[in-house]
Amino acid sequence: MRRRLIALTAVLVLGALSGCAGQPAGTDGDLGDDWAMLPAAKVPEPVLGECHNSGGYKDQDVSSWDGVAPVVPCDGPHQVEIVAVGKVPAELAKEAKRPDRDKFAALYAQCEEAAAKYLGGDWHAGRLYLYLQPPTYAQWLGGLRTYHCDVAVMGADGHKIESFDKTFKGAVAPGGPLANGCSLTSGATNDTLFAQADPVACTQPHDLEYAGYVTAPADAAFPNDTAANEKLFGKACEAKMLEYTGMSRTAYNRQRDVYYIWWRTAGSTGWKAGDHSSRCFFFLHGRKLSKSVKGIGDATL
């Protein structure tokens, strides 16, 4: 009964309206032609300085980056921060389907340059990972042609993405909270020198120190094993470590337990996106120092 009464009321109201004589001044009597058209749906543009929480676990894992992560305040815990945005070049933008990641690799240098200004220093000098993120496939179909460059904090194990509760702006400037410096390693096994490296002040006991980074050629294939990595980065990182310490090769050869370490952070996805770099470290195996080795020269350690 209630349902029928409501329906009847509606009919009576409509009947009353239809029985009105004439029409109000300034109207044409046609309700269908006076509504403004709704704007076309638009994919949101990435925003410089915006912070997100990644759904992924490892920086090498594409699931950490592909997709739209929730926006969160930058003064609270967040994992990813957009440090640069840019327009996709016209020759790529015209493609109906989003091109593969390697097609965007030439843009990576622009990400690095912009990130350095945002971070206060080169991203390699921080406990960070820089990733070039083109529009997702769905965003591309929706018309988005803007890429963004994201930075995430890497944990002591070198893989896990960790939260940070401040903006990344200026975070790798000298003395910055995310600047690479000295670390204390732990978790050594028969197969690995260490499992993680926790940052410490260089005046505290430590056995690892950041010495710089090197870059493999742009056309280099992704190194799938230790031998391939050593070929690309071994001698280059050794030279970088010697340059950092000011140590001659003769002195280095007579040092006890002094090693160089290369650390490539990009997985195959990051490599395709343009990151062909490796960080280089001074490593003192089995012993600790309580001072920096920068410019130490030929002193016996």
Side-chain angles (χ1 to χ4, degrees), residues 133-162:
Q133 178 61 56
T136 66
Y137 289 103
Q139 289 172 333
W140 190 273
L141 290 175
L144 185 64
R145 295 296 186 272
T146 304
Y147 67 89
H148 50 101
C149 311
D150 299 345
V151 164
V153 178
M154 289 188 297
D157 67 351
H159 295 289
K160 185 178 180 181
I161 295 174
E162 291 192 343

Side-chain angles (χ1 to χ4, degrees), residues 45-46 84-89 107 110-111 133 135 145-149:
E45 294 274 342
V85 296
K87 290 296 182 182
V88 173
L107 301 172
Q110 296 179 33
C111 275
Q133 178 61 56
R145 295 296 186 272
T146 304
Y147 67 89
H148 50 101
C149 311

Side-chain angles (χ1 to χ4, degrees), residues 88-188:
V88 173
E91 62 271 20
L92 292 179
K94 65 184 179 181
E95 298 293 333
K97 181 182 178 182
R98 196 202 81 178
D100 291 335
R101 287 177 176 273
D102 57 348
K103 303 301 182 183
F104 296 90
L107 301 172
Y108 196 78
Q110 296 179 33
C111 275
E112 292 188 302
E113 182 178 352
K117 295 177 181 178
Y118 190 95
L119 298 169
D122 186 272
W123 70 274
H124 299 91
R127 301 189 304 277
L128 301 168
Y129 187 69
L130 175 67
Y131 202 86
L132 168 62
Q133 178 61 56
T136 66
Y137 289 103
Q139 289 172 333
W140 190 273
L141 290 175
L144 185 64
R145 295 296 186 272
T146 304
Y147 67 89
H148 50 101
C149 311
D150 299 345
V151 164
V153 178
M154 289 188 297
D157 67 351
H159 295 289
K160 185 178 180 181
I161 295 174
E162 291 192 343
S163 291
F164 192 61
D165 59 3
K166 298 178 183 178
T167 177
F168 294 165
K169 287 183 179 179
V172 300
L178 294 175
N180 259 325
C182 298
S183 299
L184 180 62
T185 68
S186 60

Side-chain angles (χ1 to χ4, degrees), residues 127 155-158 180-189 192-202 204-210 257 259-263 280-289:
R127 301 189 304 277
D157 67 351
N180 259 325
C182 298
S183 299
L184 180 62
T185 68
S186 60
T189 68
T192 59
L193 290 173
F194 53 88
Q196 68 178 50
D198 293 285
V200 296
C202 290
Q204 297 297 314
H206 63 277
D207 51 9
L208 189 73
E209 187 167 343
Y210 174 70
D257 300 329
Y259 298 88
Y260 69 88
I261 288 180
W262 49 260
W263 177 34
C280 307
F281 294 85
F282 165 94
F283 182 58
L284 186 63
H285 186 240
R287 293 189 289 140
K288 305 290 187 293
L289 289 172

